[in-house]
Amino acid sequence: QVQLVESGGGLVQAGGSLRLSCAASGGTFRSYFMGWFRQAPGKDREFVAAITWSGGMTYYADSVKGRFTISRDNAKNTVWLQMNSLKPEDTAVYYCANKGDYRSNYERREAYNYWGQGTQVTVSS
């Protein structure tokens, strides 16, 4: 079965950086987008970033623009989220996900068909 596994989370002070990785394994699947979402305590899961299959187009939530960078390497079956200038409000469980259709609704959780287990990111002030 297809598996998405996140790694790279941890504790970091405000202003620091982390790089999250998402590795796919277990099978082949259609991927028009890969996305990152996050969920903080008491809040709904929210869109963070997405990238097209070729890597030619990237999309970001306003809250992370200029600080986060999404990238992918299909040969390595991996997508990354580079997070710089981290803020306490970035604290959340971060999930990677696959979107298997071409529609542009990449900000919607319901549009993604495979999800990882999540990795915890904690930013202290």
Side-chain angles (χ1 to χ4, degrees):
Q1 293 182 335
V2 173
Q3 297 182 67
L4 303 177
V5 180
E6 302 95 337
S7 62
L11 281 70
V12 64
Q13 291 185 337
S17 298
L18 285 173
R19 186 172 69 177
L20 306 183
S21 297
C22 176
S25 64
T28 59
F29 55 93
R30 188 185 300 271
S31 182
Y32 283 87
F33 299 83
M34 290 293 293
W36 286 95
F37 289 74
R38 66 186 183 186
Q39 188 165 18
K43 296 184 178 181
D44 292 332
R45 192 171 300 185
E46 66 177 359
F47 170 76
V48 175
I51 186 168
T52 56
W53 176 82
S54 67
M57 296 290 289
T58 57
Y59 310 89
Y60 299 94
D62 289 341
S63 60
V64 306
K65 285 182 179 178
R67 299 189 298 120
F68 291 11
T69 303
I70 187 172
S71 60
R72 71 188 298 173
D73 187 336
N74 295 335
K76 296 182 178 180
N77 299 312
T78 302
V79 60
W80 296 273
L81 184 69
Q82 177 68 46
M83 305 185 295
N84 297 327
S85 302
L86 283 163
K87 304 175 181 179
E89 51 263 44
D90 295 319
T91 295
V93 176
Y94 283 71
Y95 300 87
C96 69
N98 174 74
K99 188 176 189 300
D101 67 83
Y102 65 89
R103 293 176 295 174
S104 60
N105 57 343
Y106 49 81
E107 294 183 344
R108 295 184 59 186
R109 299 186 303 273
E110 296 80 6
Y112 291 78
N113 57 1
Y114 295 108
W115 291 84
Q117 297 288 337
T119 186
Q120 177 70 50
V121 172
T122 302
V123 184
S124 62
S125 60

